[in-house]
C-alpha cells in the first residue's frame, strides 16, 4: 500500500462517519507523522477539520534537564535525561483536557509558541486531527482512529540530521551523541504501546509498509 492509497482509506472512513471523528497520528521523532498529516489535510476542506499539533505539550528542555529518570532495559539499569520518548516529558493532563473539549463541541485556544502562534479551534467541526509524539501516551479510547509511524535507527538519524540541522539549526554532534539514548527509550517506553494503535506504518528507507491495520 502507498501513502496515497492509505489516505484514500482514511478518507473513506471519514466520509462514512455520521458523527464527528477524532484521528490520532503519532510516532517517534522523524518517523513521518507530520508528512502524512500534511498530505491528509491537503485532501480536506479547511472549514471541516481542526488540527491540534501537540509539540507545545512537551515540557521545555530547560526544565527537563534538571531531572533524570531511572529505568531497567534489557536487564541493565539506566539513569538518563528525560527525552520526548518518555511519558514524563509531556503535559498529558492538559492535552487530554483540550482533546476532550474539542470532542465535546467546545472551542479551544491553542498554546502560543514562537514556531506555532496560538489559534482558535472550532469545536463544531466534524474532523479533529491530533498529531504529535505526546499522543503516544494517551488512552486509545479518546480516538476513533489511531495511526502510528515508525522507522529504523539508521533512517531516523539521517532524517534528524537533515531536519534538525538544516531546518532547526541543531548541533549535528549533539544529535548523533543522543541517538542511542533516544532509541533505547523509544524501545522501552513507546514500542510496547504500538499495539494500541489501529494502524502501524513503517517508513524505514522511505518505504510505506503497513505492519498492522484494523
Amino acid at each position: 500500500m502507498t501513502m496515497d492509497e492509505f489516505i484514500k482509506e482514511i478518507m473513506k472512513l471519514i466520509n462514512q462517519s455520521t458523527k464527528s471523528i477524532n484521528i490520532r497520528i503519532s510516532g517517534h521523532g522523524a518517523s513521518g507523522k507530520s508528512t502524512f498529516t500534511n498530505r491528509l489535510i491537503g485532501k480536506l476542506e479547511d472549514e471541516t477539520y481542526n488540527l491540534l499539533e501537540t509539540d507545545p505539550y512537551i515540557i521545555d528542555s530547560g526544565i527537563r534537564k534538571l531531572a533524570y529518570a531511572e529505568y531497567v532495559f534489557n536487564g541493565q539499569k539506566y539513569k538518563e535525561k528525560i527525552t520526548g520518548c518518555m511519558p514524563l516529558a509531556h503535559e498529558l493532563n492538559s492535552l487530554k483536557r483540550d482533546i476532550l473539549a474539542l470532542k465535546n463541541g467546545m472551542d479551544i485556544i491553542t498554546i502560543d509558541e514562537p514556531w506555532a502562534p496560538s489559534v482558535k479551534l472550532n469545536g463544531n467541526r466534524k474532523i479533529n486531527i491530533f498529531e504529535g509524539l505526546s499522543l503516544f501516551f494517551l488512552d486509545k479510547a479518546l480516538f476513533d482512529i489511531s495511526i502510528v509511524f515508525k522507522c529504523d535507527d539508521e533512517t531516523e538519524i539521517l532524517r534528524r540530521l537533515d531536519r534538525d540541522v538544516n531546518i532547526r539549526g541543531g548541533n549535528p554532534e549533539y544529535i548523533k551523541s543522543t541517538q542511542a539514548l533516544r532509541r533505547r527509550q523509544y524501545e522501552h517506553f513507546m514500542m510496547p504501546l504500538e499495539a494500541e494503535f489501529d494502524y502501524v506504518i513503517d517508513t524505514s528507507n522511505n518505504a510505506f509498509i503497513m505492519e498492522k491495520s484494523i
Side-chain angles (χ1 to χ4, degrees):
M1 176 178 287
T2 66
M3 183 183 294
D4 287 339
E5 289 170 337
F6 182 53
I7 288 174
K8 287 181 181 179
E9 182 174 325
I10 299 302
M11 289 295 298
K12 183 178 180 180
L13 294 174
I14 291 172
N15 293 330
Q16 288 175 341
S17 178
T18 58
K19 59 181 182 64
S20 64
I21 191 163
N22 301 280
I23 303 173
R24 168 171 63 158
I25 303 171
S26 192
H28 62 73
S31 59
K33 55 188 178 294
S34 296
T35 297
F36 174 79
T37 300
N38 291 331
R39 292 276 288 276
L40 175 61
I41 65 175
K43 301 294 184 180
L44 302 171
E45 298 294 331
D46 289 347
E47 66 275 8
T48 63
Y49 74 90
N50 292 307
L51 173 61
L52 180 61
E53 297 176 300
T54 66
D55 279 0
Y57 297 88
I58 301 175
I59 297 169
D60 185 87
S61 60
I63 297 173
R64 285 189 280 121
K65 71 180 182 180
L66 301 176
Y68 290 84
E70 295 184 358
Y71 64 98
V72 176
F73 177 66
N74 287 342
Q76 184 173 344
K77 186 174 181 180
Y78 292 91
K79 182 178 181 180
E80 297 177 329
K81 62 177 290 186
I82 299 171
T83 76
C85 295
M86 289 185 177
L88 288 171
H90 306 269
E91 286 281 359
L92 296 177
N93 287 332
S94 299
L95 177 56
K96 181 179 178 181
R97 174 201 62 204
D98 290 347
I99 290 171
L100 287 172
L102 282 176
K103 287 186 62 175
N104 286 282
M106 300 174 63
D107 298 346
I108 69 168
I109 303 296
T110 64
I111 298 170
D112 188 60
E113 295 285 2
W115 69 88
S118 179
V119 297
K120 180 180 179 180
L121 300 183
N122 188 330
N124 290 321
R125 292 186 171 174
K126 178 183 178 180
I127 308 161
N128 293 313
I129 299 174
F130 306 102
E131 184 268 321
L133 195 158
S134 302
L135 298 160
F136 223 109
F137 305 106
L138 291 181
D139 190 342
K140 177 183 178 180
L142 287 169
F143 312 97
D144 301 300
I145 301 172
S146 287
I147 306 167
V148 65
F149 288 83
K150 60 188 285 188
C151 65
D152 61 25
D153 183 31
E154 181 179 357
T155 301
E156 180 184 0
I157 187 62
L158 289 174
R159 288 176 180 169
R160 288 183 63 215
L161 286 170
D162 180 53
R163 180 197 65 190
D164 294 356
V165 175
N166 297 328
I167 298 176
R168 300 179 179 178
N171 184 317
E173 295 308 315
Y174 175 78
I175 292 169
K176 292 175 184 177
S177 69
T178 59
Q179 179 66 10
L181 176 152
R182 289 175 182 273
R183 290 300 295 195
R184 182 165 54 248
Q185 292 185 5
Y186 156 68
E187 291 183 23
H188 183 70
F189 293 100
M190 299 178 69
M191 190 179 289
L193 299 175
E194 289 173 356
E196 298 298 313
F197 286 76
D198 301 312
Y199 301 92
V200 179
I201 299 167
D202 189 341
T203 63
S204 300
N205 299 312
N206 296 319
F208 193 89
I209 301 171
M210 186 83 68
E211 292 192 346
K212 175 193 173 187
S213 63
I214 55 175

